[in-house]
Amino acid sequence: MSRLHHLLALTTGAVLVAAGMVTVGPGAAQAATGTAAAQSPSAAVQPSGTVTAPTTGRYWSTTPTRVFSGTVGTERQVVRVAGRSGVPADATAVVLSVEVSAPTASGSVRVTPAGSDPTVTTQQFRARQAVTGLTTVALARGGVQVSTSAGSAKTALVVSGYYATGAGSTFTPLDTTRVTTATGVGGKAVRVPIAGRAGVPADATAVVATLGVTAATADAAVRITPAGKDASVATQSFRKGTPIAGAAVVGLSGGAAQVAVSKGRATVSVDVSGYYSRSTTGSVFVPVTPSRVTTTTVSSTPRAVRVTGISGVPGTATAVVATAAVSATTTNASLRLAPAGGKPTSASLVYRMGQPLATATTVRAVGSTLDRRVLAKVDSGSAKLTVDVTGYFLDGRSGSGIGADISWPQCTTPAAKWPSDQAFGVVGVNDGLASGTNPCLAQQLVWAAGSRGGTTQPRTQLYVNTANPGKAFKDDPSLPRTTWPTANVDPDGEPVAVPARYGICGGGTAGLTSLACSYVYGWNRAHDDVHDRGVPAGVAYRWWLDAETDGSWQTDQNLNRATLEGMTDMFRSTGGSVGLYSSPGEWKQLFGTVPTSSQLVRLPTWKAVGPTTLSAAQAACSTGAFTSAGRTEMVQYVAGGFDRIVSCV
């Protein structure tokens, strides 16, 4: 950030920075196609001032095609998908049907980005049970990997769509609504008009749907495809007389889809929970390494499940894509999911007593940008529920949804090469020293003011270098002590209200290791930052205290904390808010455990994780804050030669 992290930022981050939005294959590094500065931003501002969605994270439907078929065991198998079966080489994620048959043991199949193996569920099954279900999974190095948790099973992967950069479709989530219930569906496809119904517009290109099957006369599979396009692949498998429900993403042809069953007859219902279209203000998809956001017990009373602000899902997410799995089911019932505040009336999953089962789901996230939730319930009895998020839809009008920070090291880089897609910008006030000034602060503040917005973060924020050089002055008396205080006064001679517990700042050698003088030193450095660095007056900024071990610090953590406390109180006296920036190791070394009596204990955390993937940075949102009563609100990582920032709230 200041010295350490901006030096790290000069390395090449293992992130694909494409078309103005940072996207990565979670869990494994992808080759960078260029720095952020070299890419042209894909999102644009229309003459009316409306920000349009980026072209990254847009959806394309494909003819369902099998990309893998074989026996899978506990040893992971990598399946290349990009560059095959109509999926382009630059695809970031794919929609797959996962077909499992003849499993030798009860367990689950996991389909995850190649190179990652989180303990999550894609499909659950009993020994010898055939199941079919949907998943959306990020591509890493163009592939996915598949394995079972126990035993082995015949497994097939069928791709029906993908996300990539270009003129594809954005997504708009809806409250789940039934568009048809067709009785007597057999091998001859039944046309299902969808466009113009349930909030789906006439120009929709595809929909997210839940298929329900009842009154089946034979063991078979249901298929849903674009109208007029038959496919010999299953959407959901079912047993005679056993109701099922499962997710599908299906393209529309002439505004319609079609359904059929492979054998016998059945009643088929279609519920729609969102649509894709050419809208330039819809949502775009951001894949993440599958991550569990909840393990809970659900009953017939709806339970709100938080899905944003954890596991790297930001507050601007409009919907989450997840796998919902039930186990320990106490009765035959169904799982119902809905946006928070809505009514979970449609079955997302139908299960039998004692049967573990999983389904993909795409649910609109509702609430504030600090906390968005979905509702979950079962018809009767209870069940253990896990929800594993595989990605989220981001409000396309928020640009990349990712922030950036710059400071004095970028003064020598032409402004045209600074990030241009940032949702918010954080600018360093100093020149790497707590007593210095960033020579291009004014220009960088203009850059930050032009941030796209769309997150809960202020578009313009500031960070300041911090230090406590008292020990250095004590160890080397020849050093000039002009910046070290000798009384409870600021640089203008005005009194500083030092906390009573710290007493009076005095001169001499004792003052160099005084809590009171450490506090006043911090106050005075913040006073200079506010009044003498060129920061515009009258603005209540968010000030981040950049604390790194390459600064000058005392060996006594109490003295170091007192300096940050003085800075905190001074910045707050101007109407600003304050946060803490560091890496976990540096924070622990310099400041230790912050007591509850300290002004620092409730401050938010901005955590540095260095050169890594967007996915890893998102995961760091779920880690603990630097203080017991704070929370992690931002995570900084290095990508494309710049510091990028994930907003965790």
Side-chain angles (χ1 to χ4, degrees):
M1 183 165 177
S2 55
R3 292 167 292 280
L4 173 63
H5 293 291
H6 277 302
L7 289 174
L8 290 174
L10 297 178
T11 64
T12 301
V15 178
L16 175 66
V17 183
M21 180 175 178
V22 178
T23 58
V24 301
Q30 296 184 12
T33 60
T35 67
Q39 302 299 319
S40 299
S42 59
V45 179
Q46 298 174 336
S48 64
T50 301
V51 179
T52 62
T55 57
T56 35
R58 297 202 182 195
Y59 181 73
W60 281 261
S61 293
T62 65
T63 300
T65 305
R66 186 162 292 175
V67 293
F68 172 79
S69 182
T71 299
V72 172
T74 55
E75 184 175 345
R76 299 183 293 274
Q77 294 190 45
V78 174
V79 178
R80 181 162 185 85
V81 180
R84 302 175 52 199
S85 305
V87 179
D90 65 345
T92 58
V94 288
V95 177
L96 297 172
S97 288
V98 182
E99 303 172 3
V100 177
S101 61
T104 62
S106 298
S108 63
V109 63
R110 298 170 182 161
V111 182
T112 59
S116 68
D117 191 34
T119 306
V120 295
T121 298
T122 303
Q123 284 294 323
Q124 288 184 299
F125 47 78
R126 291 172 170 170
R128 298 178 297 280
Q129 177 191 18
V131 296
T132 303
L134 195 72
T135 188
T136 299
V137 61
L139 297 177
R141 297 190 298 275
V144 301
Q145 64 187 32
V146 57
S147 63
T148 60
S149 62
S152 62
K154 294 179 180 178
T155 305
L157 304 179
V158 178
V159 62
S160 60
Y162 63 88
Y163 294 92
T165 298
S169 298
T170 62
F171 179 71
T172 301
L174 300 169
D175 291 340
T176 303
T177 304
R178 181 151 298 175
V179 294
T180 193
T181 299
T183 59
V185 176
K188 184 178 180 180
V190 175
R191 191 173 189 272
V192 180
I194 296 178
R197 301 182 178 187
V200 180
D203 63 347
T205 58
V207 292
V208 174
T210 300
L211 293 183
V213 176
T214 58
T217 62
D219 295 352
V222 62
R223 301 168 182 159
I224 184 167
T225 57
K229 297 182 180 181
D230 293 318
S232 58
V233 294
T235 303
Q236 286 287 323
S237 301
F238 54 83
R239 302 293 299 272
K240 176 182 177 180
T242 302
I244 61 101
V249 178
V250 59
L252 300 180
S253 177
Q258 65 182 34
V259 294
V261 297
S262 60
K263 187 185 296 184
R265 293 189 176 275
T267 297
V268 180
S269 62
V270 180
D271 298 333
V272 170
S273 57
Y275 66 87
Y276 298 86
S277 71
R278 302 296 183 185
S279 170
T280 59
T281 58
S283 298
V284 293
F285 184 67
V286 180
V288 300
T289 299
S291 177
R292 185 150 295 174
V293 295
T294 193
T295 299
T296 188
T297 298
V298 290
S299 66
S300 57
T301 300
R303 176 184 291 273
V305 176
R306 185 177 182 182
V307 292
T308 67
I310 54 177
S311 298
V313 182
T316 49
T318 58
V320 292
V321 180
T323 298
V326 295
S327 59
T329 54
T330 61
T331 186
N332 298 346
S334 64
L335 171 70
R336 300 176 186 268
L337 301 170
K343 294 182 179 180
T345 56
S346 298
S348 301
L349 181 67
V350 180
Y351 55 84
R352 309 291 291 179
M353 178 178 175
Q355 178 187 24
L357 206 58
T359 187
T361 184
T362 299
V363 187
R364 185 166 68 91
V366 174
S368 72
T369 51
L370 294 176
D371 184 347
R372 292 186 175 179
R373 300 185 178 229
V374 301
L375 290 182
K377 63 166 288 188
V378 295
D379 291 332
S380 60
S382 64
K384 180 181 178 181
L385 171 69
T386 61
V387 179
D388 300 324
V389 170
T390 61
Y392 59 87
F393 286 98
L394 178 75
D395 185 342
R397 294 166 296 181
S398 67
S400 69
I402 306 297
D405 70 76
I406 60 177
S407 189
W408 62 272
Q410 283 72 50
C411 290
T412 57
T413 302
K417 293 187 177 182
W418 296 345
S420 58
D421 67 333
Q422 78 279 359
F424 55 94
V426 189
V427 177
V429 172
N430 310 111
D431 61 357
L433 298 174
S435 57
T437 301
N438 175 3
C440 59
L441 176 63
Q443 186 182 16
Q444 292 182 348
L445 288 174
V446 172
W447 164 83
S451 298
R452 308 183 67 87
T455 73
T456 60
Q457 298 294 337
R459 294 192 187 198
T460 300
Q461 303 178 51
L462 304 175
Y463 78 83
V464 294
N465 297 120
T466 63
N468 183 326
K471 184 177 185 298
F473 293 141
K474 183 177 181 180
D475 293 344
D476 187 354
S478 66
L479 291 174
R481 303 183 185 181
T482 55
T483 60
W484 191 258
T486 57
N488 290 16
V489 295
D490 69 16
D492 295 331
E494 297 296 327
V496 175
V498 179
R501 66 183 184 275
Y502 290 162
I504 302 297
C505 172
T509 302
L512 297 174
T513 53
S514 156
L515 285 168
C517 291
S518 293
Y519 178 94
V520 176
Y521 178 81
W523 178 286
N524 290 350
R525 293 291 69 76
H527 179 281
D528 291 344
D529 292 330
V530 171
H531 297 290
D532 300 336
R533 310 286 180 216
V535 175
V539 180
Y541 287 104
R542 164 65 63 86
W543 300 81
W544 292 97
L545 308 183
D546 177 1
E548 302 179 43
T549 53
D550 56 351
S552 179
W553 292 98
Q554 306 262 20
T555 55
D556 187 331
Q557 294 173 337
N558 295 303
L559 298 175
N560 295 337
R561 289 197 298 266
T563 296
L564 297 194
E565 290 169 353
M567 299 186 78
T568 296
D569 288 347
M570 197 283 151
F571 286 135
R572 284 177 167 173
S573 74
T574 68
S577 60
V578 183
L580 305 171
Y581 168 90
S582 192
S583 67
E586 289 174 299
W587 180 267
K588 182 177 181 180
Q589 178 180 340
L590 293 174
F591 307 104
T593 301
V594 177
T596 56
S597 60
S598 172
Q599 297 90 315
L600 309 179
V601 75
R602 297 187 182 280
L603 298 187
T605 287
W606 174 13
K607 191 170 295 185
V609 295
T612 189
T613 62
L614 170 61
S615 177
Q618 290 167 326
C621 284
S622 301
T623 58
F626 296 145
T627 62
S628 60
R631 66 174 179 177
T632 301
E633 293 196 2
M634 302 200 311
V635 173
Q636 178 204 66
Y637 66 108
V638 180
F642 288 96
D643 292 344
R644 303 305 300 243
I645 311 169
V646 172
S647 175
C648 304
V649 296

